[in-house]
Amino acid sequence: MSSRAPALASLALAALLLSGCTATQSQTAEPTPAPEETQIPEEITGQPGDPLTEAEAKQLNGQRGTLRPYEKNDGSYVIIDVKQPLPPEVKQEVAENLGSVGNDTGSALGQLNRETSTGKTIIMVRQIHYSSATGGDFFGWHAASYASGFPGFTGGDSDSVAAQAQAWAYSQRDPAQFEIIVVNG
């Protein structure tokens, strides 16, 4: 047994040294800082047409869901919901914006492209002036849109043209995506 004693003594000494090192290291090591609490901003909620501050509009723009901020011409913001009709004040402003370009259909389509900030695909119904090949001038109503596959509609009054456009929108996969706006009607 005498030959085992030095081996056991060596193991005991090594264990003591290792436990001493561990204790010394843990006493001198800096404590792990507690994780910082991150403030999760409160989700912006409301109804279409409710006003927003600029900070709320930025926050809402980053949220998931169907609510979006809409910046009005005066720089203020309101809530819109891409799955619901536009609030009347937004719809009226879009119609005024589209109507401000006069009879230039090309400019009206350019303005229509700007209106994508509504989150909707706008179908614009407006009165147009055109000439026939025989030289006669005509006024009629026309529906135009950047919607993929939109066929365009014409007619003698805004209601019938808007109804044709609405029927087309209802036949699409997501009818809530479309908003019919009558300009100068």
Side-chain angles (χ1 to χ4, degrees):
M1 273 207 184
S2 62
S3 65
R4 285 188 183 182
L8 288 174
S10 295
L11 284 173
L13 181 62
L16 282 173
L17 287 174
L18 285 174
S19 67
C21 288
T22 305
T24 305
Q25 283 180 345
S26 67
Q27 291 172 355
T28 60
E30 292 183 25
T32 304
E36 290 183 30
E37 288 188 33
T38 55
Q39 294 287 342
I40 298 174
E42 213 173 289
E43 188 171 303
I44 302 292
T45 59
Q47 297 297 313
D50 287 353
L52 294 167
T53 66
E54 186 173 353
E56 290 171 329
K58 283 182 180 179
Q59 184 179 340
L60 180 60
N61 202 29
Q63 288 181 188
R64 295 177 189 237
T66 59
L67 298 182
R68 302 280 184 273
Y70 174 78
E71 184 176 4
K72 295 172 51 180
N73 291 341
D74 64 6
S76 64
Y77 295 88
V78 295
I79 295 174
I80 60 173
D81 186 331
V82 296
K83 293 296 182 185
Q84 294 183 22
L86 290 174
E89 66 186 85
V90 172
K91 197 169 181 174
Q92 179 181 347
E93 183 176 278
V94 171
E96 289 170 2
N97 291 345
L98 292 170
S100 68
V101 297
N103 286 329
D104 183 0
T105 301
S107 295
L109 287 173
Q111 181 65 34
L112 181 62
N113 194 37
R114 178 213 174 268
E115 300 306 336
T116 58
S117 64
T118 62
K120 300 278 198 170
T121 301
I122 303 294
I123 299 174
M124 172 182 61
V125 176
R126 66 179 292 153
Q127 191 173 36
I128 60 170
H129 171 257
Y130 56 95
S131 298
S132 72
T134 60
D137 288 338
F138 299 95
F139 287 93
W141 287 87
H142 178 73
S145 180
Y146 281 115
S148 179
F150 185 73
F153 299 100
T154 58
D157 62 85
S158 62
D159 291 339
S160 67
V161 174
Q164 292 173 67
Q166 191 66 63
W168 178 86
Y170 283 143
S171 73
Q172 302 306 299
R173 187 174 55 96
D174 183 9
Q177 169 190 353
F178 301 97
E179 189 80 28
I180 311 298
I181 296 191
V182 179
V183 178
N184 300 330

